[in-house]
Amino acid sequence: MFRALRPVFTRPSGTVRTCALLVLLAATGIAILELVREQTGTPGFFVGLGLALLPVAPLMAAFRWLGRAAPAPWSQLLFCFGWGACTAALIAILANNFATEWIAAATADPSGADRLGSVAIAPVVEESAKAAALLLVFAFRRRHLTGPADGFVVAGFTATGFAFTENILYLGNAFVQDLADGTTGVLNSVTAATFFVRVVLSPFAHPLFTVLTGLGVGAAAARARRSHRICLPLLGLAAAMGMHALWNGSSQFGDHGFHIVYACVMVPAFGLLVWLAVRIRHRRLRAVADELALYAAAGWLAPAEVPALASMPARSLARALARRSGGRAAGRAVARYEADAAALALLRNRARRGRPSPEADFARRERELLHRLWQRRATAAPALARAAVLEELLPPWSHAAQPTDGVTVAGPAAVPGPRREEARREEVRREEPFLRRSGPWTPATPAGPSSIRPCVLPGGDGVR
């Protein structure tokens, strides 16, 4: 009987999970919009909405820039933004209001309840609600969390969505207050002051807090020890709550408390995270170059593709060249090729560093990525090789292979064919038996043409 019932309790499919999350986001989105509109009124809601939109695009572009080395799917990033703007914001408003009212009723001190709620309750509730998006990605899309950089990006999009909804509320209420007071001048406007503090002075506040959680979750995804995978996210979440509490409580430190916290804590922390983001991006591109060089030596990539795939300007140029000669479809094919190549490089990099990746999962994922690369190789490889030449990324002795048009590459830089490369690889295997590896260092055969046979890549088993 239990065997017959077992299929009923199988894990929901990806489509079911996607539909459930979309329904949740839609329901919470409608609820939060109506709740904010009730508190600000319709005029205040639309004024707040227009002003709150201004920092969204620059923040999303900044976090997307960080993740361009190995871009996450836009669907995942938009889900995180929607979670922050809808679900996390709704949880925060309801929980904060309930906690503040309960404390006020218990202590008979409404002003003290507001202060306590702002410093002690709001940071815990809001950061936990935003962290839920990262945990969902960690649980169901772990392949897209390859390290701290991915946690950085996911957390940034989530916090940007949360700040967007919160700004609508604050700016809308400020506009309503100006209408009630009859304020007409900009200097005396509460709306202008709120806009300056929240949008001009500190648009990075919420992203700064949540990025600490994201770094913990991303680092946990790259660790094999169970204790690390539990403690690192909790440590990041605790740091986010502490920073958030310090920011909310800055007004309690005297007349200049806000300025002191802003100048001595927020600005240095922001500068440190910017430096860390640039360093992480550079290290990822270097890892892409190192790992893809092994696949190029095996014949899966042309040598000229490797420096192009490790250079963001060259990637952009390759997409432009493909669009110019083959239209938007060719440009999209090159973009997907670049993303898959970066994902392949980071997959191998994690395995070489002993990061959590079971052998079967490594082989399956590698086979999938190699097959997708092979499908788009005819379109992407010439454009990338041409971009490498135009960006002067190739050594001088390879310039003899310069292409004569936008997408055609001739000479040694041409993409090697699988049959020709198979003979060369067989000779290498006979002469250098140490290259024959097993486990995660032996790439799986892609589900492509029967003539494609992958060779063993050098550098495994601790070599390098």
Coordinates of all heavy atoms in Angstrom, one line a residue, residues 207-239:
P207 N 20.2 47.6 -0.1 CA 21.1 46.7 -0.8 C 22.4 46.4 0.1 O 22.9 45.2 0.1 CB 21.5 47.4 -2.1 CG 20.3 48.2 -2.4 CD 19.8 48.7 -1.0
L208 N 22.9 47.4 0.7 CA 24.1 47.2 1.5 C 23.9 46.2 2.7 O 24.7 45.3 2.9 CB 24.6 48.5 2.1 CG 25.7 48.5 3.1 CD1 27.0 47.9 2.4 CD2 26.0 49.9 3.7
F209 N 22.7 46.3 3.3 CA 22.4 45.3 4.4 C 22.2 43.9 3.9 O 22.9 43.0 4.3 CB 21.1 45.7 5.1 CG 21.0 47.2 5.6 CD1 19.8 47.9 5.5 CD2 22.2 47.8 6.0 CE1 19.8 49.2 5.9 CE2 22.1 49.1 6.4 CZ 20.9 49.8 6.4
T210 N 21.4 43.8 2.8 CA 21.1 42.4 2.4 C 22.2 41.8 1.6 O 22.3 40.5 1.6 CB 19.8 42.5 1.5 OG1 18.8 43.3 2.1 CG2 19.2 41.1 1.2
V211 N 23.1 42.5 1.1 CA 24.3 42.0 0.4 C 25.1 41.2 1.4 O 25.7 40.2 1.0 CB 25.1 43.1 -0.3 CG1 26.5 42.7 -0.5 CG2 24.5 43.4 -1.7
L212 N 25.1 41.6 2.6 CA 25.9 40.8 3.6 C 25.3 39.4 3.8 O 26.1 38.4 3.9 CB 25.9 41.5 5.0 CG 26.5 42.9 5.0 CD1 26.3 43.6 6.3 CD2 28.0 42.9 4.6
T213 N 24.0 39.3 3.8 CA 23.3 38.0 3.8 C 23.7 37.2 2.5 O 24.0 36.0 2.5 CB 21.8 38.1 3.9 OG1 21.5 38.9 5.1 CG2 21.2 36.8 4.1
G214 N 23.6 37.9 1.4 CA 23.9 37.3 0.1 C 25.4 36.7 0.0 O 25.6 35.7 -0.5
L215 N 26.3 37.5 0.6 CA 27.7 37.0 0.6 C 27.8 35.7 1.4 O 28.5 34.8 1.1 CB 28.6 38.0 1.2 CG 28.8 39.3 0.3 CD1 29.7 40.3 1.0 CD2 29.5 38.9 -1.0
G216 N 27.0 35.7 2.5 CA 27.0 34.4 3.4 C 26.4 33.3 2.6 O 27.0 32.1 2.7
V217 N 25.3 33.5 2.0 CA 24.6 32.4 1.3 C 25.5 31.9 0.1 O 25.6 30.7 -0.2 CB 23.2 32.9 0.8 CG1 22.6 31.8 -0.1 CG2 22.3 33.2 2.0
G218 N 26.1 32.9 -0.7 CA 26.9 32.5 -1.8 C 28.1 31.7 -1.4 O 28.5 30.8 -2.0
A219 N 28.8 32.2 -0.2 CA 29.9 31.4 0.3 C 29.5 30.0 0.7 O 30.3 29.1 0.6 CB 30.6 32.2 1.4
A220 N 28.3 29.9 1.3 CA 27.9 28.6 1.8 C 27.6 27.7 0.6 O 27.9 26.5 0.7 CB 26.6 28.8 2.6
A221 N 27.2 28.2 -0.5 CA 26.9 27.4 -1.7 C 28.2 26.8 -2.2 O 28.2 25.8 -2.9 CB 26.2 28.2 -2.8
A222 N 29.3 27.4 -1.9 CA 30.6 26.9 -2.4 C 31.4 26.1 -1.4 O 32.6 25.9 -1.5 CB 31.5 28.1 -2.9
R223 N 30.8 25.7 -0.3 CA 31.4 25.0 0.8 C 30.9 23.6 0.8 O 29.7 23.3 0.6 CB 31.2 25.7 2.1 CG 31.9 27.0 2.2 CD 33.4 26.9 2.2 NE 34.1 28.1 2.5 CZ 34.3 29.1 1.7 NH1 33.9 29.0 0.4 NH2 34.9 30.2 2.1
A224 N 31.7 22.6 1.2 CA 31.3 21.2 1.3 C 30.9 20.9 2.7 O 30.0 20.0 2.9 CB 32.5 20.3 0.9
R225 N 31.5 21.5 3.7 CA 31.1 21.2 5.1 C 29.7 21.6 5.4 O 29.3 22.8 5.1 CB 32.1 21.8 6.1 CG 33.4 21.1 6.1 CD 34.2 21.7 7.3 NE 35.5 21.0 7.4 CZ 36.4 21.3 8.4 NH1 36.1 22.2 9.3 NH2 37.5 20.6 8.4
R226 N 29.0 20.8 6.1 CA 27.6 21.1 6.5 C 27.6 22.3 7.5 O 26.7 23.1 7.4 CB 26.9 19.9 7.1 CG 25.5 20.1 7.4 CD 24.8 18.8 8.0 NE 23.5 19.0 8.3 CZ 22.4 18.9 7.5 NH1 22.7 18.6 6.2 NH2 21.2 19.1 7.9
S227 N 28.5 22.3 8.4 CA 28.6 23.4 9.4 C 28.8 24.7 8.7 O 28.2 25.7 9.1 CB 29.7 23.1 10.4 OG 30.9 23.0 9.7
H228 N 29.6 24.8 7.7 CA 29.8 26.0 7.0 C 28.6 26.5 6.2 O 28.3 27.7 6.2 CB 31.0 25.9 6.0 CG 32.3 25.7 6.6 ND1 33.5 25.4 5.9 CD2 32.7 25.9 7.9 CE1 34.5 25.4 6.8 NE2 34.1 25.6 8.0
R229 N 27.9 25.5 5.7 CA 26.7 25.8 4.9 C 25.5 26.3 5.8 O 24.6 26.9 5.3 CB 26.3 24.6 4.0 CG 27.4 24.2 3.1 CD 27.1 22.9 2.4 NE 26.1 23.1 1.3 CZ 25.7 22.2 0.4 NH1 26.2 20.9 0.6 NH2 24.9 22.4 -0.5
I230 N 25.6 26.0 7.0 CA 24.6 26.5 8.0 C 25.1 27.8 8.6 O 24.3 28.8 8.7 CB 24.3 25.5 9.0 CG1 23.7 24.2 8.4 CG2 23.4 26.0 10.1 CD1 23.4 23.1 9.4
C231 N 26.3 27.9 9.0 CA 26.8 29.0 9.8 C 27.0 30.3 8.9 O 26.7 31.4 9.4 CB 28.1 28.7 10.5 SG 27.9 27.4 11.8
L232 N 27.5 30.1 7.7 CA 27.8 31.3 6.9 C 26.6 32.1 6.6 O 26.6 33.4 6.7 CB 28.6 30.9 5.6 CG 30.0 30.4 5.8 CD1 30.6 29.9 4.6 CD2 30.9 31.5 6.4
P233 N 25.5 31.5 6.1 CA 24.3 32.4 5.9 C 23.8 33.0 7.2 O 23.3 34.2 7.2 CB 23.2 31.4 5.4 CG 24.0 30.3 4.8 CD 25.2 30.1 5.7
L234 N 23.8 32.3 8.3 CA 23.4 32.9 9.6 C 24.3 34.1 10.0 O 23.8 35.1 10.5 CB 23.4 31.8 10.7 CG 22.3 30.7 10.5 CD1 22.4 29.7 11.7 CD2 20.9 31.3 10.5
L235 N 25.6 33.9 9.8 CA 26.5 35.0 10.1 C 26.3 36.2 9.2 O 26.3 37.4 9.7 CB 28.0 34.5 9.9 CG 29.1 35.5 10.2 CD1 29.0 35.8 11.7 CD2 30.4 34.9 9.9
G236 N 26.0 36.0 7.9 CA 25.7 37.1 7.0 C 24.4 37.8 7.4 O 24.3 39.0 7.4
L237 N 23.4 37.0 7.8 CA 22.1 37.5 8.2 C 22.3 38.3 9.5 O 21.7 39.4 9.6 CB 21.1 36.4 8.4 CG 19.7 36.8 8.8 CD1 19.1 37.7 7.8 CD2 18.8 35.6 9.0
A238 N 23.0 37.9 10.4 CA 23.3 38.6 11.7 C 24.0 39.9 11.4 O 23.6 41.0 12.0 CB 24.1 37.8 12.6
A239 N 25.0 39.9 10.5 CA 25.6 41.2 10.1 C 24.7 42.1 9.5 O 24.7 43.4 9.7 CB 26.8 40.9 9.2

